Amino acid sequence: MSAEITLFVNPTAGRGRGARVAQPAASALRAAGFCVRTVSGADAGDALARLRTAVREGTGAVLAVGGDGMVSLALQALAGTLVPLGVIAVGTGNDFARAMGLPVRDPEQAGRLAGEALKEGRIREIDLGRVNRAEGADGTGSGTWYGTVLCSGFDSRVNDRGNRMRLPAGRFKYDLAMIAELAAFRPFPYRITLDDGPVIETEATLVAVGNGSSYGGGMRICADAVPDDGLFDITVVGDCTRATLLRVFPRVYRGTHLSHPKVTVHRARKVTLEAAGSTAYADGEPMGPLPVTAECVPAALRLLMP
């Protein structure tokens, strides 16, 4: 095993903030005897290309410094390789780290535990989701890895609207986006295919495909999802009225919404979602408009565990 560890730092963090929040983790790793290098870039694409180079050259591990977006970017370089991932969870949501029992907003502890995990071989093989879309302009098609939840329907409409809003800053704009979307809310006519089975045609508020249990900073939409069982948990929230949606929504943080009669959970290795006017998001990143197909790929990632 290489004694070098790569810190993968957010290339868009302003004024060097990404490098600063990584320093406590880097210090803890150096104190444990590791050589630490930092990888970033001018933008996400450049950073990913640099990380892929580090992986090819034989880094001992990659520690993603940031939130779920940085973890998602790191997955694109690490999925299917033998290089393990550690997470220095200092982002807003940190759903991936929480689902895996990793420290949150404590970079020094996260760095120390990652070093110990490497030395002691504490590595867990977990599944990842892979989102496949239609062929791209180059004719090769594409696939994007994700670790937590792919969402579509009402949630993705809120994301779409929030991403278009310049003000206010931070998470408050998504609260405003939710209020605005509720005013125009209508269920979506979905076509859902599970494991190449018959098409399920249904009216649904949202459909979430979970490799992990939560998204949005602790919303346990797929509360019973297990990241190493080889299956997705697919949560379908049916044709709720606005009033029902407002009553059910707070229960998502506890995961108790799954018992509501409008909620159905399926388990499958592959799911195809079709719904006009809906966008898919995975790990909070836009995947493009439906239809999309997501596959659960067993043991696709090696994860450093505390």
Side-chain angles (χ1 to χ4, degrees):
M1 180 191 72
S2 171
E4 179 186 88
I5 293 180
T6 299
L7 288 183
F8 187 42
V9 178
N10 190 347
T12 61
R15 300 181 181 179
R17 179 180 175 273
R20 287 197 301 274
V21 298
Q23 283 308 307
S27 298
L29 289 164
R30 291 190 179 104
F34 291 96
C35 176
V36 179
R37 67 179 291 195
T38 298
V39 167
S40 186
D43 52 33
D46 182 39
L48 179 55
R50 292 170 185 263
L51 181 61
R52 284 177 166 148
T53 297
V55 171
R56 284 196 304 270
E57 291 176 349
T59 187
V62 171
L63 271 62
V65 182
D68 292 320
M70 281 304 290
V71 172
S72 179
L73 196 58
L75 295 182
Q76 311 314 310
L78 295 178
T81 76
L82 295 177
V83 178
L85 172 69
V87 181
I88 311 298
V90 291
T92 302
N94 302 312
D95 287 287
F96 183 89
R98 285 195 176 92
M100 303 303 165
L102 303 175
V104 173
R105 297 193 182 95
D106 190 340
E108 182 178 1
Q109 182 192 29
R112 177 176 54 81
L113 291 175
E116 292 174 359
L118 270 174
K119 288 182 174 180
E120 299 172 12
R122 295 201 305 267
I123 293 175
R124 179 185 183 187
E125 290 188 339
I126 67 167
D127 310 332
L128 292 177
R130 183 169 60 200
V131 183
N132 298 310
R133 301 184 296 278
E135 284 193 341
D138 60 358
T140 61
S142 60
T144 303
W145 299 94
Y146 75 94
T148 57
V149 176
L150 178 147
C151 71
S152 65
F154 178 74
D155 289 344
S156 62
R157 291 291 292 267
V158 171
N159 266 320
D160 287 341
R161 183 181 288 269
N163 291 341
R164 293 194 301 268
M165 295 169 62
R166 299 187 64 183
L167 293 173
R171 298 188 63 173
F172 184 55
K173 70 179 179 181
Y174 292 98
D175 295 333
L176 293 180
M178 180 179 292
I179 293 169
E181 284 299 324
L182 274 172
F185 171 71
R186 294 289 187 280
F188 294 83
Y190 269 91
R191 290 169 55 87
I192 305 169
T193 308
L194 306 174
D195 288 334
D196 298 317
V199 173
I200 301 169
E201 297 195 24
T202 186
E203 295 276 324
T205 300
L206 64 91
V207 179
V209 182
N211 182 61
S213 56
S214 69
Y215 64 172
M219 297 168 62
R220 303 183 68 229
I221 188 69
C222 299
D224 296 332
V226 178
D228 58 3
D229 64 353
L231 296 171
F232 288 132
D233 276 30
I234 300 117
T235 301
V236 180
V237 179
D239 56 343
C240 297
T241 64
R242 291 190 195 93
T244 300
L245 186 58
L246 286 170
R247 285 196 301 271
V248 172
F249 179 77
R251 296 172 57 177
V252 174
Y253 287 95
R254 301 187 301 276
T256 57
H257 64 293
L258 298 182
S259 63
H260 193 278
K262 287 291 186 179
V263 177
T264 306
V265 177
H266 307 273
R267 289 188 172 85
R269 296 181 185 275
K270 184 172 76 169
V271 56
T272 297
L273 302 178
E274 303 172 74
S278 182
T279 304
Y281 284 77
D283 289 342
E285 303 298 314
M287 296 290 108
L290 271 54
V292 297
T293 296
E295 297 179 77
C296 183
V297 181
L301 181 73
R302 305 178 79 228
L303 184 67
L304 296 175
M305 296 301 295

